[in-house]
Amino acid sequence: ETRVAERTEQLEEINRELDTFAYSVSHDLRAPLRAMQGFAELLLDKSHSETERVEYLKRILISVHNMDRLIQDLLAYSRLSRQEIMLQTVSLDKVVRDAAQQLELASGGKNYQLEIAGKLPEVVGHHAVLVQVVLNLLTNAVKFVPKGVTPKLRIWSEPAADYCRLIVQDNGIGIAPQHQERIFKIFERLNGLDSYPGTGIGLAIVRKAVNRLGGRIGVESHEGEGSRFWVELPRADAGLPR
């Protein structure tokens, strides 16, 4: 009976995700298409100046980029649901430093401060999946700060009896308590695209990945006071799960 109940819960979760995906296809994926169509029609109007036409082309390219990012995130989320993940001993120290290196390459020269406090331990997980988890958390930490504020990120770990907690702290805009569960759902955004662009899938990918690794994720935050995301994973010295 327990296995039947678990399977039923999994199927219900899949159905909820399918409903959300259907909404995204009809809304999120169509939004950049509508923008491209609108600016393409303006380009056909020969009454516009050369400067205006160049601006319309730039807007079309932005819409193409946004749509490509959304599709890439959808594919990443889908792969996590289906791919086989072999658990192994992983160095969190190397995971975080690899993610930090990727963040530097992807940040486009944006100024931020990142502190990795102390040597991080080994856990049971998957290196590539954990790099994606940490990179997504760091990317959000750099993005969601008040205008004019330099992002300050700090990463450290806290050991417990049979697991390790990895913590990513920032000085960003924070998250009100009533929204702290919602942010991990697919396609959820708390802020307008004009203020903070994004697909609304990044934290859903993080939760899906951590769940696949047998871990847990959560956040401690208050609006306007920054956030502290934590990921709990089995300690390597506690042995691989059977």
Side-chain angles (χ1 to χ4, degrees):
E1 291 184 7
T2 302
R3 292 185 64 183
V4 171
E6 289 176 352
R7 183 59 177 163
T8 300
E9 185 178 347
Q10 290 173 355
L11 290 173
E12 289 175 349
E13 177 65 23
I14 290 171
N15 284 334
R16 286 193 293 269
E17 289 182 1
L18 286 173
D19 288 341
T20 308
F21 179 78
Y23 171 80
S24 176
V25 170
S26 64
H27 184 270
D28 295 75
L29 285 174
R30 288 186 64 194
L33 284 174
R34 287 195 299 269
M36 286 186 277
Q37 180 183 6
F39 288 117
E41 289 172 351
L42 288 172
L43 279 172
L44 292 174
D45 185 346
K46 299 187 183 299
S47 66
H48 294 288
S49 68
E50 185 67 21
T51 301
E52 289 173 324
R53 292 162 73 87
V54 169
E55 181 61 29
Y56 299 151
L57 284 171
K58 289 180 180 178
R59 297 292 184 89
I60 290 173
L61 287 174
I62 290 172
S63 294
V64 169
H65 172 77
N66 290 341
M67 190 167 188
D68 180 66
R69 179 60 188 273
L70 180 58
I71 291 171
Q72 291 298 326
D73 281 355
L74 281 170
L75 289 172
Y77 187 83
S78 176
R79 279 195 298 269
L80 276 173
S81 301
R82 294 179 288 104
Q83 76 180 90
E84 183 178 357
I85 297 177
M86 299 295 293
L87 297 180
Q88 55 195 323
T89 298
V90 176
S91 165
L92 274 184
D93 207 64
K94 188 172 190 318
V95 164
V96 168
R97 295 184 190 282
D98 285 355
Q101 187 176 47
Q102 290 189 32
L103 177 69
E104 185 177 0
L105 293 172
S107 63
K110 183 172 182 178
N111 187 35
Y112 62 89
Q113 298 174 16
L114 172 59
E115 176 191 358
I116 303 172
K119 184 171 176 59
L120 304 175
E122 292 185 335
V123 297
V124 175
H126 185 281
H127 181 83
V129 172
L130 282 174
V131 169
Q132 185 65 61
V133 166
V134 175
L135 179 60
N136 281 19
L137 293 176
L138 293 177
T139 300
N140 278 357
V142 170
K143 181 196 301 183
F144 291 101
V145 292
K147 188 175 181 180
V149 173
T150 298
K152 295 181 180 179
L153 292 60
R154 187 170 186 265
I155 302 178
W156 73 96
S157 65
E158 295 177 352
D162 56 356
Y163 66 87
C164 172
R165 175 175 280 200
L166 181 70
I167 300 167
V168 178
Q169 179 175 284
D170 64 55
N171 64 332
I173 58 177
I175 305 158
Q178 66 268 29
H179 297 314
Q180 289 176 12
E181 176 62 25
R182 176 184 160 194
I183 59 172
F184 292 105
K185 296 179 180 179
I186 192 168
F187 303 122
E188 287 288 350
R189 299 189 192 94
L190 300 183
N191 304 278
L193 285 173
D194 292 338
S195 302
Y196 298 100
T199 62
I201 306 176
L203 286 177
I205 291 174
V206 168
R207 170 177 271 185
K208 176 72 73 174
V210 172
N211 287 346
R212 289 295 312 275
L213 296 176
R216 298 196 311 143
I217 184 168
V219 62
E220 300 165 7
S221 182
H222 291 283
E223 200 166 5
E225 298 180 11
S227 300
R228 180 181 290 189
F229 284 86
W230 53 264
V231 176
E232 290 179 352
L233 295 163
R235 286 172 46 173
D237 56 14
L240 289 168
R242 295 185 182 276

